[in-house]
Amino acid sequence: MLFLQLLANGLFVGSIYALLGLSFATIFASTKIWHFAHGAVYTMGGYLLLVLTGWLGLPFVLAVALDVVICAGLGAVFLGGLYGPLQRRGATPLVMVMASLGVMIVIDNLLLLGFGPSGFSIDVAVPPPLIVGGIFLTGGQAITPLIAMATVALYLLFLFRTVWGQQLRAQIDNEELLQLNGVDAARVKFLAFACGSALLPIATALYVASGSGIAPGVGVSAVLIGAMAMFLGGVDSIAGSAVAGLLLGVVESLSAFFFPTEWQTAVTYSLALAVLMLRPTGLFGNALARTGTS
């Protein structure tokens, strides 16, 4: 019974990880930019939910919808206001990484100054707890996998069935060929940053709906999970990053069945690294991404 309970917990956590992997992969695979400030957008999205619901009194669903729009805009601002100028000045990939890390640290500290070091929770109306076959699920745990998988499905439908989505996938495969067909690659990169950032508030909303709190610095682990899910799934496979994120969550939870809980993160990352050692392109990737900022 403990194994099944851990599996259920893993599906909940993995659903959020799937969104984080999908989000990070959308940006990196399309632009080859190490957007570590993505974690700051995740944190800001959480505090925006707090402001919109707790201070302005908006319904939670409406607050999430506004949060999605705002975070999409923040993603575009990062590309246009940070990475774009650096690229035009010939910044190296390492400089881009350091700039991204610096921005994330600055934003986290500003949130720390503005909201304090204590975490905040948000009251969300969720279904009552369930006990199914002896497995206990909170309302948030019960609905999170459903909402997350529906979001992933709709996003993949956007990628494969719309012109914008197809251009985004083409950008991942061959930017030069995309430009030869008359598509503005710069516009597609803005789309990638906006779409990837728009997924973060949904992950945040599901996280807080489970009863978890919001605190400065939560975006650090979020961006690391997103990056690991992307590499495990395959840099050139956006859908694979979602599957890998789900697997990471399940493995992390089930590892508590075999090892002490303090080993969960170490076991999870060790297994992921072992897979990458055997298959550097990831579980679903076809080719290793070239380094660079193009």
Side-chain angles (χ1 to χ4, degrees):
M1 190 59 65
L2 176 60
F3 184 88
L4 294 178
Q5 181 67 62
L6 291 173
L7 177 60
N9 295 344
L11 290 173
F12 159 70
V13 175
S15 297
I16 297 176
Y17 287 3
L19 291 174
L20 295 177
L22 195 65
S23 174
F24 192 86
T26 296
I27 293 175
F28 180 80
S30 305
T31 66
K32 304 303 181 288
I33 292 175
W34 281 99
H35 181 38
F36 282 118
H38 202 50
V41 178
Y42 178 86
T43 309
M44 286 190 289
Y47 279 100
L48 276 171
L49 278 181
L50 175 67
V51 171
L52 293 171
T53 59
W55 296 4
L56 300 182
L58 295 181
F60 187 72
V61 174
L62 177 58
V64 173
L66 288 175
D67 205 358
V68 166
V69 175
I70 293 171
C71 285
L74 287 173
V77 167
F78 271 114
L79 178 59
L82 177 65
Y83 302 120
L86 286 173
Q87 287 180 326
R88 289 192 292 272
R89 288 172 173 78
T92 64
L94 181 58
V95 170
M96 302 274 282
V97 170
M98 296 307 297
S100 186
L101 286 171
V103 168
M104 181 173 68
I105 293 171
V106 169
I107 290 176
D108 281 348
N109 279 274
L110 288 175
L111 291 172
L112 184 66
L113 290 173
F115 292 90
S118 301
F120 293 88
S121 60
I122 299 176
D123 292 329
V124 183
V126 295
L130 301 173
I131 298 179
V132 181
I135 300 173
F136 177 82
L137 297 172
T138 65
Q141 287 177 319
I143 64 174
T144 290
L146 299 177
I147 296 176
M149 292 305 105
T151 301
V152 171
L154 289 173
Y155 188 70
L156 293 179
L157 190 66
F158 161 76
L159 288 178
F160 285 88
R161 297 298 183 184
T162 68
V163 173
W164 285 1
Q166 291 169 354
Q167 289 177 354
L168 202 156
R169 289 192 299 113
Q171 169 79 12
I172 296 172
D173 293 335
N174 193 319
E175 180 180 330
E176 290 78 11
L177 183 59
L178 185 69
Q179 292 176 316
L180 288 175
N181 281 276
V183 178
D184 184 0
R187 179 182 59 81
V188 177
K189 291 179 181 179
F190 272 103
L191 175 65
F193 265 80
C195 288
S197 300
L199 289 169
L200 291 178
I202 301 175
T204 307
L206 295 175
Y207 182 70
V208 300
S210 68
S212 301
I214 302 166
V218 295
V220 175
S221 61
V223 75
L224 290 177
I225 290 166
M228 179 58 75
M230 178 191 70
F231 282 114
L232 184 60
V235 173
D236 59 343
S237 175
I238 292 182
S241 66
V243 177
L246 180 63
L247 290 175
L248 283 174
V250 172
V251 170
E252 180 180 271
S253 181
L254 290 180
S255 64
F257 187 80
F258 304 99
F259 303 96
T261 54
E262 58 267 23
W263 286 88
Q264 281 181 289
T265 302
V267 170
T268 304
Y269 278 81
S270 295
L271 289 175
L273 289 173
V275 172
L276 291 174
M277 289 292 291
L278 295 173
R279 186 174 170 80
T281 57
L283 295 173
F284 307 100
N286 295 315
L288 288 171
R290 294 173 296 174
T291 58
T293 59
S294 61

